[in-house]
Amino acid sequence: MSDETIHIKPYLRLAGLEPLVIRPETNFVNVGERTNVTGSKKFARLIKENKYEEALSVARQQVESGAQVIDVNMDDALLEGVKAMTTFLNLMQSEPDISRIPVMIDSSKFEIIEAGLKCVQGKCIVNSISMKEGEAKFIEQAHICKAYGAAVIVMAFDEVGQADTKDRKIEICERAYKILVEQVGFDPQDIIFDPNIFAVATGIEEHSNYAVDFIEATRVIKQKMPLAKVSGGVSNVSFSFRGNEAVREAIHAVFLYHAIKAGMDMGIVNAGQLVVYDEIDPVLRNLCEDVILNKNNDTNQATEALIQYADNIKASGENAGQSSEEANKLKLAWRNDTVEKRLAHSLINGITDFIDEDTEEARLKYSAPLEVIEGPLMAGMNQVGDLFGAGKMFLPQVVKSARVMKKSVAVLTPYIEAEKERLKLVSANPGAKTKGPAKILLATVKGDVHDIGKNIVGVVLGCNGYEIIDIGVMVPADKILAEAVKQDVDIIGLSGLITPSLDEMVHIAKEMKRRGMNIPLMIGGATTSRMHTAVKIAPEYGDGVIHVLDASRSVTVASSLLNKEQKTAFLGNIEKEYVQLKSDFDNKKTVKQSTPYVEALKNKMSIDWSKFEVATPSFTGNQAIEINDLSVLVDYIDWKPFFIAWELHGNFPAILTDEKVGEVASKLFADANALLQTIIKEKWLTAKGAIGFWEASAQGDDVTLNHNGEKTQLHFLRQQARKAEGQPNFSLADFICPSTENKKDYLGAFAVTIHGIEKHIKAFEDNLDDYNKIILQALADRFAEAFAEYLHAKTRKEFWGYAKEEQLGNEELIKENYVGIRPAPGYPACPDHTEKYTLFNLLEAEKHTGITLTESLAMYPASSVCGWYFANPQSQYFGLGKIQQDQVEDYAKRKNQSLEYITRWLQPVIE
């Protein structure tokens, strides 16, 4: 074994085209589950109809939504599982934007798992194997998984059945571990155990010790097999109390308190995990302790007592036998604690009602106002940071905590400023500088206008004691770096949403190196990736470049960078990882052979144009549309991306009852709807749009628009991945009737935006209310998308009228079950942002909507959407994937632009 191998830390390492390293500080890993025929009707339908290319859009949506691993399951009685898994995974591997994340091959049939293993690149997870069919079968399957380099989920299940006692859980897991490590040769960190969590308090005596069995088994498993991980479905433990969320929440909190201490690494956790153990009503907590730890286990006293308590609070979540006045007193019992505990309670629970008076009381108690911030307030925020890091608080709650902190600091600020002035007068050295909290500068780079994610990162970092200097959006490199020097910051954080922002980040890294700076650089935003950071940005700057996946990771990265003892080793490990990533990228072989452009052009989608009948739009040219009453758009809102903005992942409305985030999501949804009603009632925002339709004909991958004798050329790109027989290389031009057919066809376009947000954002900022500020920004984005959906529906049924009889609900609209598509320049099917110039000119978009394009072709206001309308019933969404130099050169000629110019804009999709 080489020295290099010895020093590799034994983390669970997964990979698609990019690595996913599960470190000790890693929180829950999000697994995208919609590519599962048993869990997604749309995906199942597309697979059954052999629409595999279209089914890729489901996978892509999961990746874009923040999934870190993508689960693929083809277990359906009407499917040939092996064929379906093979076909889909092979297609998926040719799409770099999807295949960059690891795959979880999920099936109850090992033949399907094995078929999947033959297709995936990188390192995947197999879900799952067990010894239920005996040791020989287990070993055989494990050998196969190892041969393909997969990690495995091992169920605590053997020939006798599922493990239900401590000894059985340990016995099966230890037996499986010994087999996997000693006989099969598995690395211990590639083993994930699920020792089975079962319900307690069922009234059946044999069930009373189930929680203790899991906790104690976990403790032993982690002692004996420390590199393996332990997982479990926490909601199972409280199943006896379904329907009584107050009791379930408390049971989960108590169970987790003990299970996590015992070594539990991950789990599907009810929203009750958010209950802070010490803040559970002492009576309820003691009853839950008795049940979870099976005290009085010779009788059913603990169970009976908890059932009695549950019956008393079932109706309202409070003691039903109490008067409302008594219940209110109980709710406010925390007000009798010390001021330090009251401040911490307000911070953790996001309560602003008493913060002014409590802050004033603390100010009078402490010798200096700054001591209140550095003492009880930071102690409370440290608890918030710990709970967030442990997965026991979620982003909406953290933002509320930040609001409480800001309001408290606002009370103290005048006194702090007065104290500073006093010290200046008495100080012998008034110019002396004292180092306060670490400073982090955040900016959205030049040409980019999106800042919701940056705002959230700022709030999270602020909650962990850092001073945040947010200098806004569209910030040029010179200003970012000048401000960093002026403010003497400790870290610079760059954010970007659109692909041109990636080039700007590279430029900033080069400029930092040229200026001899030594400030670490954090990279984040939807368009960024670990791979791009390693390949393009890190090589340009040698003093620390780190990609940060989301807000929850920013705290760990920042703390590692600012800890003198950790920084050198942390940056050293990052540099090794990035050097390896770059080496792998530079040396990688294309998974699937590409097709020369001339051949791809011949392999276009086959459409029988002789049967083609197109509806004539109600007008040609462009028109402006304005909506002042946004209530007409509410039914078109897709709420799922709203929750994703808050790092809450799941389908709507199921997320509102989700075991893990349901309570938080429900509260956030209620707050969002309250603000939404205010927006509508008080007419805070206005929707402005433009639509247009033109006669169109296709020539190869170009489309000519004709309006009143004036012609405009559109230019599209074609897939070049080598396809299976019968699968076309798509281009959007395929969906427009060729000029050789002598038939009239049309193409449409739209651009929509939301105006009026700025003054309300400022009002929330002035009120120190980041929570409602971020809700407002996210709602504005949702209204823009809803406006686009509304206009598309009006187009299909009225303006163009090619689907006049359409009757679709919002859920069907979200699933895109309509005829036709509306792809946007800059997105997977047509990634060239420069086509926005043509679209905007055709629509006279700036005049009609007020939208302007930045130099990087982002739209301002940020809550804006634009795109093309295709009406052909065979049109479909697809991802372009990587293209080759022959097409790049042809495209440059077609657009009459230099090769350098085209290469710069298409760089992300050029092989």
Side-chain angles (χ1 to χ4, degrees), residues 430-482:
K433 181 181 176 182
T434 58
K435 186 70 173 175
K439 295 180 180 180
I440 301 177
L441 181 144
L442 300 178
T444 300
V445 299
K446 182 181 73 171
D448 206 328
V449 299
H450 300 87
D451 67 347
I452 293 181
K454 173 175 62 66
N455 291 341
I456 288 173
V457 168
V459 169
V460 171
L461 289 171
C463 285
N464 283 267
Y466 302 111
E467 180 182 341
I468 304 303
I469 301 165
D470 187 338
I471 58 174
V473 301
M474 293 195 291
V475 190
D478 286 347
K479 182 177 179 181
I480 291 172
L481 302 184

Side-chain angles (χ1 to χ4, degrees), residues 10 110 192 235 336 356 403 410 449 552 567 579-580 621 724 814 840:
F110 195 77
I192 306 165
S235 61
N336 298 322
D356 288 3
R403 176 175 59 179
V449 299
S552 63
K567 180 179 178 181
V579 167
Q580 186 61 53
I814 291 169
F840 269 57

Side-chain angles (χ1 to χ4, degrees), residues 450 752-754 780-781 784-785 851-852 859-866:
H450 300 87
V752 297
T753 191
I754 301 296
D781 284 353
E785 293 286 355
I851 305 173
T852 57
M859 291 178 284
Y860 185 83
S863 298
S864 302
V865 184
C866 71

Side-chain angles (χ1 to χ4, degrees), residues 51 58 110 143 147 228 233 292 295 300 309 340 344 386 389 576 580 596 629 644 651 749 793 798 855 909:
K51 295 181 178 178
V58 179
F110 195 77
H143 269 299
I292 292 297
K295 297 178 180 178
N300 273 326
Y309 184 96
E340 289 83 1
D386 290 344
K576 285 180 184 176
Q580 186 61 53
D629 181 6
I644 290 171
N651 291 323
E798 297 176 30
E855 59 193 288
V909 298

Side-chain angles (χ1 to χ4, degrees), residues 499-500 502-503 506 532 535-536 585 717 831-833 880-883 885 888 891 899-911:
T499 48
L502 299 175
D503 291 334
V506 173
H532 179 270
V535 173
K536 297 290 186 180
F585 180 84
L717 293 158
D832 181 10
H833 283 274
L880 181 71
K882 294 291 186 181
I883 62 173
Q885 191 63 28
V888 178
Y891 191 68
L899 186 60
E900 179 185 13
Y901 175 85
I902 293 300
T903 299
R904 178 166 68 87
W905 283 102
L906 294 184
Q907 189 61 55
V909 298
I910 297 175
E911 185 69 61

Side-chain angles (χ1 to χ4, degrees), residues 165-172 213 217:
T165 67
K166 169 190 169 183
D167 291 341
R168 285 270 295 145
K169 294 174 194 291
I170 297 168
E171 173 200 341
I172 294 176
D213 285 325

